Amino acid sequence: MKKSIDTISVIGAGALGAAYAALLYEMDSRCVSFVASGDRCERLRREGLIVNDKRYLIPVLLPEDLSEPSDLIIVAVKHHHLDDAVRDMKNRVGAETTIISVMNGIESEERIGAAYGMGKVLYAVSVGIDALRERNSIIYTTQGKIFFGEERNTFPTERVKRVQALFDKAGIIYETPPDMIRILWWKFMMNVGINQASAVLRAPFFVFQTSQEARNLMESCMREVIMLSEKAGVNLSEEDIKKFHEVLHSISPQGKTSMLQDIEAGRKTEVEMFAGKVIELGKQLDVPTPINQTLFDSIKKLEAEYVRS
């Protein structure tokens, strides 16, 4: 295995993909490219991205490009675009490629691993970034942190060390925790709460920072995930909700969750991956999930009213 990561492909040019691609481009403009097709490819090539008021014309590869595979692939798409992303990255995956997904949810790694082998996949979540996206412009004031690693990280593997070295060089803040599965569930719990409550209440972060009533709705969603985690052997607790409060109060008050941004922009949300997954697991594990069922129904109604075809 190569000692360093020299080439990175980013799948997805939304808020997260753009933020990390810009940091990597600042480190070395030759190291990073997007993979996109059709109108998305043409738009990225023509307009580029504006990240924190600076324009970036990051190269864009078509999925059928046959240049050398990438050392690292970062997947940063919405849940409903994952199948396309798995297909589009095929020519970027080589013998020594590592893949990380900073997507929401608890199943993207397994879906990517089913196509390319779990031996190429590291678990990852992004926590605490307050990025706001409007068309090709992304603004963030807090980078947050990427938690990533193998399923267990008592001793970092060589591929984990390679990604750590890249992130150190690029100024990407990260942590490699001992138990990545628990971190995945913790982020899932957060998203199920804050994303969905913010979408229904049309509430930026300051509402949850200041309103106990808003936090009550958020936390009631989270507690259903905690009950599921107990049945799944992950064992989240009330302490994990308290840890999220620390994250919540570190974020720009005017920031908005990705789901609220989707609703306001008339885009498809990730409700199937949040409440939908909670409801599915509740049926499997015999755990009642009435709060998430109510929010699922409410958000689907909002989508029907506001999401453009």
Side-chain angles (χ1 to χ4, degrees), residues 26-53:
E26 291 282 359
M27 177 192 75
D28 180 355
S29 61
R30 301 163 300 175
C31 79
V32 62
S33 59
F34 287 110
V35 177
S37 60
D39 291 342
R40 284 176 295 171
C41 175
E42 292 305 314
R43 188 167 57 251
L44 280 170
R45 286 177 171 175
R46 182 178 63 251
E47 301 177 6
L49 292 166
I50 300 167
V51 181
N52 285 348
D53 297 322

Side-chain angles (χ1 to χ4, degrees), residues 44-108:
L44 280 170
R45 286 177 171 175
R46 182 178 63 251
E47 301 177 6
L49 292 166
I50 300 167
V51 181
N52 285 348
D53 297 322
K54 181 174 180 178
R55 190 177 184 189
Y56 292 86
L57 289 171
I58 295 170
V60 186
L61 301 177
L62 290 166
E64 54 266 31
D65 185 281
L66 294 176
S67 57
E68 288 295 312
S70 303
D71 297 327
L72 177 68
I73 298 172
I74 299 174
V75 183
V77 299
K78 293 288 188 180
H79 171 71
H80 42 282
H81 294 313
L82 179 55
D83 289 340
D84 291 340
V86 170
R87 182 193 64 231
D88 288 351
M89 75 173 74
K90 182 178 179 181
N91 287 337
R92 307 270 55 81
V93 179
E96 296 188 349
T97 302
T98 296
I99 307 169
I100 66 172
S101 164
V102 293
M103 292 174 57
N104 293 320
I106 54 176
E107 57 188 4
S108 64

Side-chain angles (χ1 to χ4, degrees), residues 6-207:
D6 301 317
T7 56
I8 304 105
S9 290
V10 180
I11 318 288
L16 283 181
Y20 295 130
L23 288 166
L24 291 162
Y25 189 89
E26 291 282 359
M27 177 192 75
D28 180 355
S29 61
R30 301 163 300 175
C31 79
V32 62
S33 59
F34 287 110
V35 177
S37 60
D39 291 342
R40 284 176 295 171
C41 175
E42 292 305 314
R43 188 167 57 251
L44 280 170
R45 286 177 171 175
R46 182 178 63 251
E47 301 177 6
L49 292 166
I50 300 167
V51 181
N52 285 348
D53 297 322
K54 181 174 180 178
R55 190 177 184 189
Y56 292 86
L57 289 171
I58 295 170
V60 186
L61 301 177
L62 290 166
E64 54 266 31
D65 185 281
L66 294 176
S67 57
E68 288 295 312
S70 303
D71 297 327
L72 177 68
I73 298 172
I74 299 174
V75 183
V77 299
K78 293 288 188 180
H79 171 71
H80 42 282
H81 294 313
L82 179 55
D83 289 340
D84 291 340
V86 170
R87 182 193 64 231
D88 288 351
M89 75 173 74
K90 182 178 179 181
N91 287 337
R92 307 270 55 81
V93 179
E96 296 188 349
T97 302
T98 296
I99 307 169
I100 66 172
S101 164
V102 293
M103 292 174 57
N104 293 320
I106 54 176
E107 57 188 4
S108 64
E109 284 85 0
E110 280 69 23
R111 289 173 63 183
I112 295 167
Y116 299 109
M118 286 303 296
K120 293 192 177 300
V121 180
L122 292 175
Y123 293 89
V125 295
S126 177
V127 175
I129 191 168
D130 58 359
L132 286 173
R133 170 192 166 200
E134 185 172 345
R135 292 194 71 253
N136 70 327
S137 178
I138 294 90
I139 298 287
Y140 68 92
T141 62
T142 301
Q143 186 192 129
K145 181 187 292 187
I146 292 181
F147 292 83
F148 85 95
E150 309 282 359
E151 185 174 333
R152 297 287 184 269
N153 296 284
T154 306
F155 301 101
T157 60
E158 284 304 312
R159 63 182 186 151
V160 167
K161 291 178 181 177
R162 290 173 74 220
V163 178
Q164 288 175 336
L166 173 72
F167 285 175
D168 283 334
K169 190 175 179 182
I172 294 174
I173 300 167
Y174 69 87
E175 182 177 330
T176 301
D179 185 345
M180 266 306 304
I181 303 304
R182 195 175 195 284
I183 293 293
L184 283 183
W185 273 79
W186 179 57
K187 176 68 184 297
F188 180 58
M189 178 199 76
M190 288 190 283
N191 278 325
V192 165
I194 188 72
N195 260 286
Q196 299 187 131
S198 70
V200 169
L201 298 176
R202 306 296 181 86
F205 288 123
F206 77 83
V207 174

